[in-house]
Amino acid sequence: MIPIFLFFFLMILGVPIAFVLGMTTVGFVFLSENINVMESMPSRMFNGLQNFGLVAIPMFIFLGEVMNKGGITKRLIDFSQVILGHLKGGLGYVNVVANMFLASIIGSANAQSAVMSKVMVPAMEKEGYRKDFSAALTSASSVMGPLIPPSMPFIIFGVTASTSIGKLFLAGIAPGILLTIAYGVAIYFIAKKEDLPTSEKSTVKEVSISFVHVLPALIIPLFIVIGITTGFFTATESGAMAAFVAVLVGMFIYKDLKMKHMYEIIYRTVITTSTVTFLLATSNIFGWVLSFQQIPQLIADVFLSIASNQYMFLILATILLLIVGMFLEGIAALILLVPILLPVAVQFGVDPVHFGVIMVLNLTIGLLTPPVGTVLFIVSSITKVKIGDLVKSMMPFLIIAFIVLLLVTFIPAISLFIPSLFKL
Protein backbone atom coordinates (compact mmCIF):
# COMPACT_ATOMS: atom_id res chain seq x y z
CA MET A 1 0.00 0.00 0.00
CA ILE A 2 3.01 2.33 0.54
CA PRO A 3 3.43 3.11 -3.22
CA ILE A 4 -0.29 4.01 -3.41
CA PHE A 5 0.09 6.43 -0.49
CA LEU A 6 3.26 7.82 -2.10
CA PHE A 7 1.37 8.34 -5.38
CA PHE A 8 -1.43 10.37 -3.77
CA PHE A 9 0.94 12.21 -1.42
CA LEU A 10 3.01 13.45 -4.37
CA MET A 11 -0.19 14.39 -6.24
CA ILE A 12 -1.40 16.44 -3.26
CA LEU A 13 1.97 18.22 -3.12
CA GLY A 14 1.43 19.29 -6.74
CA VAL A 15 4.33 17.32 -8.21
CA PRO A 16 3.92 17.03 -12.04
CA ILE A 17 2.22 13.76 -12.94
CA ALA A 18 5.16 12.48 -15.00
CA PHE A 19 7.46 12.73 -11.97
CA VAL A 20 4.76 11.24 -9.72
CA LEU A 21 4.59 8.13 -11.91
CA GLY A 22 8.38 7.81 -12.14
CA MET A 23 9.04 8.36 -8.43
CA THR A 24 6.24 6.00 -7.40
CA THR A 25 7.64 3.31 -9.69
CA VAL A 26 11.17 3.67 -8.30
CA GLY A 27 9.82 3.66 -4.74
CA PHE A 28 7.81 0.52 -5.43
CA VAL A 29 10.86 -1.27 -6.89
CA PHE A 30 13.02 -0.42 -3.84
CA LEU A 31 10.30 -1.54 -1.41
CA SER A 32 9.89 -4.82 -3.27
CA GLU A 33 13.68 -5.30 -3.02
CA ASN A 34 13.74 -6.31 -6.70
CA ILE A 35 16.58 -3.91 -7.56
CA ASN A 36 17.50 -5.80 -10.75
CA VAL A 37 14.35 -4.39 -12.35
CA MET A 38 15.99 -0.93 -12.27
CA GLU A 39 18.42 -2.04 -14.98
CA SER A 40 15.56 -2.56 -17.44
CA MET A 41 13.76 0.72 -16.74
CA PRO A 42 15.68 3.01 -19.16
CA SER A 43 15.17 0.59 -22.06
CA ARG A 44 11.50 0.20 -21.12
CA MET A 45 11.05 3.98 -21.14
CA PHE A 46 12.74 4.28 -24.54
CA ASN A 47 11.05 1.27 -26.16
CA GLY A 48 7.63 2.55 -25.13
CA LEU A 49 8.18 5.58 -27.37
CA GLN A 50 9.19 3.62 -30.48
CA ASN A 51 5.85 3.87 -32.22
CA PHE A 52 5.28 5.63 -35.55
CA GLY A 53 1.83 6.79 -34.41
CA LEU A 54 3.43 9.06 -31.81
CA VAL A 55 4.95 11.16 -34.62
CA ALA A 56 1.47 12.67 -35.01
CA ILE A 57 1.78 14.42 -31.64
CA PRO A 58 4.45 17.02 -32.58
CA MET A 59 2.83 17.42 -36.01
CA PHE A 60 -0.57 18.41 -34.59
CA ILE A 61 0.98 20.56 -31.84
CA PHE A 62 2.96 22.40 -34.54
CA LEU A 63 -0.25 22.73 -36.60
CA GLY A 64 -2.09 24.37 -33.71
CA GLU A 65 0.75 26.81 -33.05
CA VAL A 66 0.98 27.76 -36.75
CA MET A 67 -2.76 28.37 -37.00
CA ASN A 68 -2.75 30.60 -33.92
CA LYS A 69 0.21 32.69 -35.10
CA GLY A 70 -0.96 32.70 -38.73
CA GLY A 71 -4.26 34.44 -37.97
CA ILE A 72 -6.29 31.35 -38.86
CA THR A 73 -7.80 31.02 -35.37
CA LYS A 74 -8.87 34.68 -35.37
CA ARG A 75 -10.64 34.36 -38.73
CA LEU A 76 -12.56 31.28 -37.56
CA ILE A 77 -13.82 33.22 -34.53
CA ASP A 78 -14.66 36.30 -36.65
CA PHE A 79 -16.63 34.15 -39.11
CA SER A 80 -18.62 32.57 -36.25
CA GLN A 81 -19.45 36.04 -34.94
CA VAL A 82 -20.61 37.32 -38.33
CA ILE A 83 -22.97 34.34 -38.74
CA LEU A 84 -24.35 34.02 -35.20
CA GLY A 85 -23.60 37.26 -33.35
CA HIS A 86 -27.01 38.86 -34.06
CA LEU A 87 -29.00 36.16 -32.22
CA LYS A 88 -30.07 36.64 -28.60
CA GLY A 89 -27.09 35.39 -26.65
CA GLY A 90 -25.25 35.41 -29.96
CA LEU A 91 -21.74 35.53 -28.51
CA GLY A 92 -22.61 32.39 -26.55
CA TYR A 93 -23.29 30.57 -29.83
CA VAL A 94 -20.14 32.12 -31.28
CA ASN A 95 -18.15 30.76 -28.34
CA VAL A 96 -19.45 27.21 -28.88
CA VAL A 97 -19.12 27.18 -32.68
CA ALA A 98 -15.67 28.78 -32.57
CA ASN A 99 -14.63 26.08 -30.09
CA MET A 100 -15.92 23.46 -32.53
CA PHE A 101 -13.81 24.99 -35.31
CA LEU A 102 -10.77 25.20 -33.03
CA ALA A 103 -11.28 21.59 -31.96
CA SER A 104 -10.50 20.62 -35.56
CA ILE A 105 -7.16 22.41 -35.20
CA ILE A 106 -5.83 22.21 -31.65
CA GLY A 107 -6.96 18.79 -30.38
CA SER A 108 -6.36 19.59 -26.69
CA ALA A 109 -8.94 20.86 -24.19
CA ASN A 110 -6.29 22.60 -22.08
CA ALA A 111 -4.75 24.47 -25.02
CA GLN A 112 -8.15 25.33 -26.45
CA SER A 113 -9.49 26.70 -23.16
CA ALA A 114 -6.37 28.89 -22.82
CA VAL A 115 -6.78 30.35 -26.32
CA MET A 116 -10.53 30.97 -26.01
CA SER A 117 -10.30 32.43 -22.49
CA LYS A 118 -8.03 35.16 -23.78
CA VAL A 119 -10.24 35.94 -26.79
CA MET A 120 -13.90 35.21 -26.04
CA VAL A 121 -14.33 35.99 -22.34
CA PRO A 122 -13.20 39.66 -22.62
CA ALA A 123 -15.31 40.07 -25.79
CA MET A 124 -18.42 38.65 -24.09
CA GLU A 125 -17.87 40.70 -20.93
CA LYS A 126 -17.55 43.87 -23.05
CA GLU A 127 -20.93 43.12 -24.67
CA GLY A 128 -22.65 42.77 -21.28
CA TYR A 129 -22.42 39.03 -20.54
CA ARG A 130 -21.67 37.91 -16.99
CA LYS A 131 -17.98 37.09 -16.62
CA ASP A 132 -18.63 33.84 -14.74
CA PHE A 133 -21.08 32.67 -17.43
CA SER A 134 -18.63 33.53 -20.22
CA ALA A 135 -15.79 31.69 -18.47
CA ALA A 136 -18.01 28.67 -17.70
CA LEU A 137 -19.19 28.38 -21.30
CA THR A 138 -15.62 28.65 -22.57
CA SER A 139 -14.51 25.92 -20.16
CA ALA A 140 -17.37 23.57 -21.04
CA SER A 141 -16.93 24.08 -24.79
CA SER A 142 -13.27 23.07 -24.60
CA VAL A 143 -14.47 19.45 -24.15
CA MET A 144 -14.89 19.34 -27.92
CA GLY A 145 -11.12 19.73 -28.39
CA PRO A 146 -10.23 16.06 -27.82
CA LEU A 147 -13.33 14.79 -29.68
CA ILE A 148 -13.19 16.46 -33.09
CA PRO A 149 -10.07 15.47 -35.08
CA PRO A 150 -7.19 15.90 -34.77
CA SER A 151 -7.06 14.72 -31.17
CA MET A 152 -4.03 13.99 -29.00
CA PRO A 153 -5.98 11.66 -26.63
CA PHE A 154 -7.19 9.61 -29.63
CA ILE A 155 -3.59 9.30 -30.83
CA ILE A 156 -2.54 8.06 -27.37
CA PHE A 157 -5.46 5.63 -27.21
CA GLY A 158 -4.79 4.36 -30.72
CA VAL A 159 -1.11 3.74 -29.98
CA THR A 160 -1.76 2.13 -26.58
CA ALA A 161 -4.64 -0.04 -27.82
CA SER A 162 -3.17 -0.80 -31.28
CA THR A 163 -6.36 0.63 -32.80
CA SER A 164 -6.72 2.65 -36.01
CA ILE A 165 -6.14 6.35 -35.22
CA GLY A 166 -8.01 7.24 -38.42
CA LYS A 167 -11.11 5.39 -37.21
CA LEU A 168 -10.88 7.09 -33.82
CA PHE A 169 -10.60 10.52 -35.47
CA LEU A 170 -13.75 9.93 -37.50
CA ALA A 171 -15.59 8.37 -34.54
CA GLY A 172 -15.17 11.60 -32.54
CA ILE A 173 -16.85 13.85 -35.12
CA ALA A 174 -20.51 12.97 -34.41
CA PRO A 175 -20.21 13.15 -30.57
CA GLY A 176 -18.44 16.52 -30.96
CA ILE A 177 -21.21 17.89 -33.17
CA LEU A 178 -23.88 16.44 -30.83
CA LEU A 179 -22.25 18.26 -27.91
CA THR A 180 -22.18 21.50 -29.95
CA ILE A 181 -25.91 21.24 -30.72
CA ALA A 182 -26.75 20.40 -27.10
CA TYR A 183 -24.83 23.43 -25.81
CA GLY A 184 -26.60 25.57 -28.42
CA VAL A 185 -29.99 24.44 -27.10
CA ALA A 186 -28.90 25.29 -23.55
CA ILE A 187 -27.76 28.77 -24.61
CA TYR A 188 -31.15 29.35 -26.29
CA PHE A 189 -33.03 28.79 -23.02
CA ILE A 190 -30.47 30.64 -20.88
CA ALA A 191 -30.63 33.60 -23.31
CA LYS A 192 -34.43 33.79 -22.94
CA LYS A 193 -34.30 33.42 -19.17
CA GLU A 194 -31.51 35.94 -18.53
CA ASP A 195 -32.26 38.23 -21.49
CA LEU A 196 -28.74 37.95 -22.87
CA PRO A 197 -27.61 40.73 -25.26
CA THR A 198 -27.50 40.61 -29.05
CA SER A 199 -25.11 42.15 -31.56
CA GLU A 200 -25.90 44.05 -34.75
CA LYS A 201 -26.86 41.78 -37.65
CA SER A 202 -24.23 41.51 -40.36
CA THR A 203 -25.08 42.40 -43.95
CA VAL A 204 -24.96 39.87 -46.77
CA LYS A 205 -21.81 41.61 -48.02
CA GLU A 206 -20.11 41.26 -44.62
CA VAL A 207 -21.06 37.58 -44.43
CA SER A 208 -19.74 36.97 -47.95
CA ILE A 209 -16.44 38.74 -47.24
CA SER A 210 -16.00 36.85 -43.96
CA PHE A 211 -16.71 33.52 -45.69
CA VAL A 212 -14.10 34.23 -48.36
CA HIS A 213 -11.57 35.14 -45.64
CA VAL A 214 -12.27 31.99 -43.59
CA LEU A 215 -12.35 29.55 -46.53
CA PRO A 216 -8.59 28.84 -46.53
CA ALA A 217 -8.80 28.16 -42.78
CA LEU A 218 -11.68 25.70 -43.26
CA ILE A 219 -9.69 23.82 -45.89
CA ILE A 220 -7.20 22.57 -43.29
CA PRO A 221 -9.53 20.40 -41.12
CA LEU A 222 -11.31 19.24 -44.30
CA PHE A 223 -7.90 18.33 -45.73
CA ILE A 224 -7.25 16.10 -42.69
CA VAL A 225 -10.63 14.31 -42.81
CA ILE A 226 -10.71 13.87 -46.61
CA GLY A 227 -7.12 12.60 -46.65
CA ILE A 228 -7.87 9.97 -43.99
CA THR A 229 -11.22 8.84 -45.43
CA THR A 230 -9.86 8.45 -48.95
CA GLY A 231 -6.81 6.58 -47.70
CA PHE A 232 -4.51 9.07 -49.41
CA PHE A 233 -2.51 9.30 -46.19
CA THR A 234 -2.65 7.95 -42.64
CA ALA A 235 -3.80 9.89 -39.59
CA THR A 236 -0.16 10.33 -38.59
CA GLU A 237 0.84 11.62 -42.04
CA SER A 238 -2.17 13.94 -42.10
CA GLY A 239 -0.62 15.98 -39.28
CA ALA A 240 2.48 16.74 -41.34
CA MET A 241 0.45 17.50 -44.48
CA ALA A 242 -1.99 19.76 -42.61
CA ALA A 243 0.89 21.61 -40.92
CA PHE A 244 2.49 22.23 -44.33
CA VAL A 245 -0.80 23.59 -45.72
CA ALA A 246 -1.27 25.78 -42.61
CA VAL A 247 2.19 27.32 -43.09
CA LEU A 248 1.33 28.13 -46.73
CA VAL A 249 -2.04 29.65 -45.75
CA GLY A 250 -0.57 31.68 -42.87
CA MET A 251 2.39 32.98 -44.86
CA PHE A 252 1.08 33.52 -48.38
CA ILE A 253 -2.71 33.94 -48.08
CA TYR A 254 -3.29 35.64 -44.71
CA LYS A 255 0.32 36.90 -44.53
CA ASP A 256 0.16 37.04 -40.70
CA LEU A 257 2.75 34.28 -40.27
CA LYS A 258 6.33 35.53 -40.57
CA MET A 259 9.64 33.69 -40.54
CA LYS A 260 10.47 35.42 -37.23
CA HIS A 261 7.52 33.54 -35.65
CA MET A 262 8.92 30.12 -36.56
CA TYR A 263 11.46 30.06 -33.72
CA GLU A 264 8.74 30.58 -31.09
CA ILE A 265 6.43 28.07 -32.81
CA ILE A 266 9.11 25.38 -32.97
CA TYR A 267 10.24 26.12 -29.40
CA ARG A 268 6.68 25.75 -28.03
CA THR A 269 6.16 22.61 -30.09
CA VAL A 270 9.35 21.03 -28.73
CA ILE A 271 8.51 21.94 -25.11
CA THR A 272 4.94 20.57 -25.34
CA THR A 273 6.05 17.43 -27.20
CA SER A 274 8.80 16.81 -24.65
CA THR A 275 6.32 17.12 -21.79
CA VAL A 276 3.93 14.62 -23.37
CA THR A 277 6.75 12.26 -24.37
CA PHE A 278 8.27 12.22 -20.89
CA LEU A 279 4.81 11.49 -19.47
CA LEU A 280 4.45 8.59 -21.91
CA ALA A 281 7.85 7.23 -20.91
CA THR A 282 7.20 7.31 -17.15
CA SER A 283 3.67 5.98 -17.63
CA ASN A 284 5.14 3.07 -19.56
CA ILE A 285 7.39 1.93 -16.70
CA PHE A 286 4.60 2.53 -14.18
CA GLY A 287 2.26 0.35 -16.23
CA TRP A 288 5.02 -2.25 -16.65
CA VAL A 289 5.53 -2.53 -12.87
CA LEU A 290 1.75 -2.78 -12.35
CA SER A 291 1.61 -5.58 -14.92
CA PHE A 292 4.59 -7.26 -13.22
CA GLN A 293 2.54 -7.38 -10.01
CA GLN A 294 -0.59 -8.49 -11.97
CA ILE A 295 -2.58 -5.44 -10.78
CA PRO A 296 -4.43 -5.05 -14.15
CA GLN A 297 -5.51 -8.69 -14.02
CA LEU A 298 -6.83 -8.24 -10.49
CA ILE A 299 -8.86 -5.18 -11.51
CA ALA A 300 -10.14 -6.97 -14.62
CA ASP A 301 -11.23 -9.93 -12.47
CA VAL A 302 -13.16 -7.57 -10.19
CA PHE A 303 -14.97 -6.08 -13.21
CA LEU A 304 -15.76 -9.52 -14.60
CA SER A 305 -17.09 -10.72 -11.24
CA ILE A 306 -19.37 -7.70 -10.74
CA ALA A 307 -20.57 -6.95 -14.30
CA SER A 308 -23.07 -9.49 -15.63
CA ASN A 309 -23.46 -7.91 -19.10
CA GLN A 310 -22.12 -5.24 -21.44
CA TYR A 311 -24.34 -2.46 -20.08
CA MET A 312 -23.37 -3.11 -16.47
CA PHE A 313 -19.70 -3.05 -17.48
CA LEU A 314 -20.14 0.27 -19.31
CA ILE A 315 -21.84 1.80 -16.27
CA LEU A 316 -19.03 0.65 -13.96
CA ALA A 317 -16.35 1.78 -16.42
CA THR A 318 -18.01 5.20 -16.79
CA ILE A 319 -18.13 5.71 -13.01
CA LEU A 320 -14.48 4.66 -12.69
CA LEU A 321 -13.36 6.93 -15.53
CA LEU A 322 -15.25 9.94 -14.19
CA ILE A 323 -13.66 9.47 -10.76
CA VAL A 324 -10.18 8.96 -12.23
CA GLY A 325 -10.70 12.00 -14.48
CA MET A 326 -11.27 14.15 -11.39
CA PHE A 327 -7.76 13.40 -10.10
CA LEU A 328 -5.55 12.32 -13.01
CA GLU A 329 -4.57 14.09 -16.24
CA GLY A 330 -6.30 12.56 -19.27
CA ILE A 331 -3.27 11.27 -21.21
CA ALA A 332 -1.75 9.64 -18.12
CA ALA A 333 -5.11 8.06 -17.28
CA LEU A 334 -5.43 6.68 -20.81
CA ILE A 335 -1.98 5.11 -20.72
CA LEU A 336 -2.68 3.50 -17.35
CA LEU A 337 -6.28 2.38 -17.89
CA VAL A 338 -6.45 1.32 -21.56
CA PRO A 339 -4.44 -1.90 -21.00
CA ILE A 340 -6.67 -2.69 -18.00
CA LEU A 341 -10.15 -1.84 -19.29
CA LEU A 342 -9.95 -2.48 -23.04
CA PRO A 343 -9.47 -6.29 -22.85
CA VAL A 344 -12.46 -6.50 -20.49
CA ALA A 345 -14.52 -4.26 -22.81
CA VAL A 346 -13.71 -6.51 -25.78
CA GLN A 347 -14.76 -9.57 -23.76
CA PHE A 348 -18.15 -7.93 -23.25
CA GLY A 349 -18.43 -7.21 -26.99
CA VAL A 350 -17.68 -3.47 -26.91
CA ASP A 351 -16.07 -2.16 -30.11
CA PRO A 352 -12.55 -0.83 -29.34
CA VAL A 353 -13.15 2.37 -31.34
CA HIS A 354 -16.44 3.00 -29.51
CA PHE A 355 -14.72 2.36 -26.18
CA GLY A 356 -11.97 4.80 -27.16
CA VAL A 357 -14.57 7.56 -27.63
CA ILE A 358 -16.17 6.67 -24.28
CA MET A 359 -12.83 6.85 -22.47
CA VAL A 360 -11.75 10.14 -24.06
CA LEU A 361 -15.10 11.86 -23.44
CA ASN A 362 -15.19 10.61 -19.83
CA LEU A 363 -11.68 11.76 -19.02
CA THR A 364 -12.16 15.10 -20.80
CA ILE A 365 -15.22 15.85 -18.67
CA GLY A 366 -12.91 15.19 -15.72
CA LEU A 367 -10.91 18.25 -16.79
CA LEU A 368 -13.98 20.34 -15.86
CA THR A 369 -14.51 18.87 -12.39
CA PRO A 370 -12.78 19.62 -9.07
CA PRO A 371 -10.43 18.93 -7.38
CA VAL A 372 -7.84 18.61 -10.18
CA GLY A 373 -9.76 19.87 -13.23
CA THR A 374 -6.95 21.52 -15.19
CA VAL A 375 -9.31 23.41 -17.52
CA LEU A 376 -10.92 25.01 -14.45
CA PHE A 377 -7.58 26.27 -13.19
CA ILE A 378 -6.46 27.48 -16.63
CA VAL A 379 -9.66 29.47 -17.27
CA SER A 380 -9.82 30.73 -13.68
CA SER A 381 -6.22 31.99 -13.76
CA ILE A 382 -6.70 33.78 -17.10
CA THR A 383 -10.16 35.28 -16.44
CA LYS A 384 -9.72 35.84 -12.66
CA VAL A 385 -13.07 34.13 -11.98
CA LYS A 386 -13.12 32.15 -8.71
CA ILE A 387 -13.22 28.36 -9.07
CA GLY A 388 -16.42 28.16 -7.03
CA ASP A 389 -18.25 30.69 -9.22
CA LEU A 390 -16.92 28.97 -12.34
CA VAL A 391 -18.19 25.53 -11.28
CA LYS A 392 -21.57 26.97 -10.24
CA SER A 393 -22.10 28.67 -13.62
CA MET A 394 -20.90 25.57 -15.45
CA MET A 395 -23.42 23.16 -13.88
CA PRO A 396 -26.00 23.33 -16.74
CA PHE A 397 -23.27 22.56 -19.27
CA LEU A 398 -21.82 19.77 -17.13
CA ILE A 399 -25.27 18.16 -16.93
CA ILE A 400 -25.54 18.38 -20.72
CA ALA A 401 -22.07 16.86 -21.11
CA PHE A 402 -23.12 13.93 -18.88
CA ILE A 403 -26.29 13.39 -20.94
CA VAL A 404 -24.27 13.36 -24.17
CA LEU A 405 -21.81 10.97 -22.50
CA LEU A 406 -24.65 8.55 -21.68
CA LEU A 407 -26.01 8.76 -25.23
CA VAL A 408 -22.56 8.10 -26.73
CA THR A 409 -21.93 5.25 -24.27
CA PHE A 410 -25.17 3.35 -24.83
CA ILE A 411 -25.77 4.16 -28.52
CA PRO A 412 -22.62 2.95 -30.30
CA ALA A 413 -23.95 4.09 -33.68
CA ILE A 414 -23.30 7.72 -32.71
CA SER A 415 -19.56 7.03 -32.70
CA LEU A 416 -19.35 4.26 -35.29
CA PHE A 417 -21.65 5.65 -37.99
CA ILE A 418 -19.09 7.87 -39.77
CA PRO A 419 -16.22 5.32 -39.72
CA SER A 420 -18.64 2.70 -41.13
CA LEU A 421 -19.58 5.02 -44.01
CA PHE A 422 -15.98 5.03 -45.21
CA LYS A 423 -15.40 1.35 -44.34
CA LEU A 424 -12.37 2.18 -42.18
Side-chain angles (χ1 to χ4, degrees):
M1 294 295 292
I2 294 176
I4 296 174
F5 287 123
L6 177 61
F7 179 89
F8 285 106
F9 177 69
L10 293 171
M11 287 279 289
I12 291 168
L13 289 179
V15 177
I17 184 63
F19 290 99
V20 171
L21 295 172
M23 293 164 70
T24 304
T25 303
V26 172
F28 181 80
V29 170
F30 274 109
L31 287 169
S32 65
E33 298 182 353
N34 194 2
I35 307 301
N36 292 333
V37 174
M38 294 287 289
E39 297 178 5
S40 303
M41 280 191 180
S43 61
R44 284 277 175 180
M45 292 177 73
F46 180 78
N47 292 336
L49 302 176
Q50 288 186 307
N51 190 304
F52 180 68
L54 295 177
V55 176
I57 293 174
M59 291 297 101
F60 285 121
I61 292 171
F62 180 79
L63 171 63
E65 294 290 343
V66 167
M67 294 191 79
N68 284 334
K69 280 290 183 184
I72 298 171
T73 300
K74 179 181 181 299
R75 284 165 177 83
L76 288 169
I77 295 172
D78 290 345
F79 177 67
S80 303
Q81 186 159 355
V82 166
I83 298 296
L84 300 167
H86 65 282
L87 301 173
K88 182 175 280 294
L91 283 185
Y93 296 109
V94 170
N95 196 330
V96 173
V97 172
N99 265 289
M100 185 181 72
F101 283 141
L102 285 187
S104 65
I105 299 166
I106 296 176
S108 164
N110 289 333
Q112 189 164 314
S113 63
V115 171
M116 293 299 287
S117 296
K118 294 173 185 174
V119 177
M120 285 306 305
V121 175
M124 292 178 73
E125 189 180 10
K126 186 179 178 181
E127 291 291 326
Y129 292 78
R130 291 195 339 264
K131 192 174 185 178
D132 59 321
F133 169 78
S134 306
L137 180 58
T138 301
S139 303
S141 299
S142 68
V143 173
M144 288 177 277
L147 286 176
I148 298 175
S151 163
M152 199 181 302
F154 279 148
I155 295 169
I156 301 299
F157 182 92
V159 169
T160 309
S162 299
T163 303
S164 168
I165 296 173
K167 276 187 179 180
L168 289 164
F169 276 8
L170 295 181
I173 294 174
I177 293 173
L178 179 62
L179 199 59
T180 303
I181 295 169
Y183 282 164
V185 172
I187 292 168
Y188 173 80
F189 288 107
I190 292 171
K192 290 185 71 174
K193 180 182 177 182
E194 299 188 9
D195 193 28
L196 295 179
T198 61
S199 302
E200 187 177 339
K201 188 172 183 179
S202 302
T203 64
V204 175
K205 182 180 178 180
E206 288 172 334
V207 172
S208 302
I209 292 171
S210 180
F211 178 72
V212 171
H213 285 171
V214 83
L215 199 55
L218 295 175
I219 287 172
I220 297 170
L222 285 174
F223 184 78
I224 295 171
V225 174
I226 292 171
I228 294 171
T229 55
T230 57
F232 190 75
F233 40 71
T234 66
T236 302
E237 294 163 348
S238 71
M241 298 297 293
F244 176 69
V245 174
V247 169
L248 294 180
V249 170
M251 278 191 170
F252 301 110
I253 297 179
Y254 292 150
K255 299 181 180 179
D256 288 347
L257 184 65
K258 309 295 182 184
M259 283 303 298
K260 65 181 180 181
H261 296 142
M262 296 308 293
Y263 172 80
E264 182 185 352
I265 289 170
I266 293 171
Y267 174 79
R268 290 170 64 91
T269 301
V270 169
I271 293 297
T272 307
T273 303
S274 301
T275 304
V276 174
T277 304
F278 184 56
L279 175 57
L280 286 167
T282 54
S283 297
N284 187 56
I285 58 168
F286 185 78
W288 174 55
V289 170
L290 289 180
S291 299
F292 189 75
Q293 295 297 320
Q294 296 188 325
I295 303 299
Q297 289 84 342
L298 291 173
I299 296 173
D301 289 342
V302 171
F303 268 91
L304 289 169
S305 63
I306 296 175
S308 56
N309 55 56
Q310 181 186 110
Y311 299 107
M312 180 61 71
F313 165 74
L314 288 174
I315 291 170
L316 292 173
T318 297
I319 293 170
L320 173 65
L321 289 166
L322 287 172
I323 294 171
V324 169
M326 291 179 183
F327 297 94
L328 202 58
E329 199 273 338
I331 291 176
L334 281 172
I335 297 166
L336 294 177
L337 293 178
V338 169
I340 297 172
L341 295 180
L342 185 61
V344 185
V346 171
Q347 285 189 53
F348 279 108
V350 181
D351 186 282
V353 173
H354 176 219
F355 193 65
V357 176
I358 293 171
M359 287 196 74
V360 169
L361 182 52
N362 263 291
L363 295 171
T364 306
I365 290 173
L367 298 176
L368 306 177
T369 53
V372 194
T374 51
V375 165
L376 290 180
F377 291 107
I378 289 169
V379 174
S380 176
S381 64
I382 292 173
T383 63
K384 309 304 179 187
V385 175
K386 292 180 179 178
I387 294 288
D389 295 336
L390 192 56
V391 173
K392 184 179 177 181
S393 297
M394 202 191 303
M395 286 309 297
F397 302 107
L398 270 177
I399 292 169
I400 287 169
F402 285 128
I403 292 171
V404 171
L405 171 62
L406 291 174
L407 290 173
V408 169
T409 300
F410 295 107
I411 307 176
I414 295 174
S415 303
L416 301 178
F417 173 69
I418 295 179
S420 66
L421 282 179
F422 297 97
K423 296 181 173 59
L424 290 179

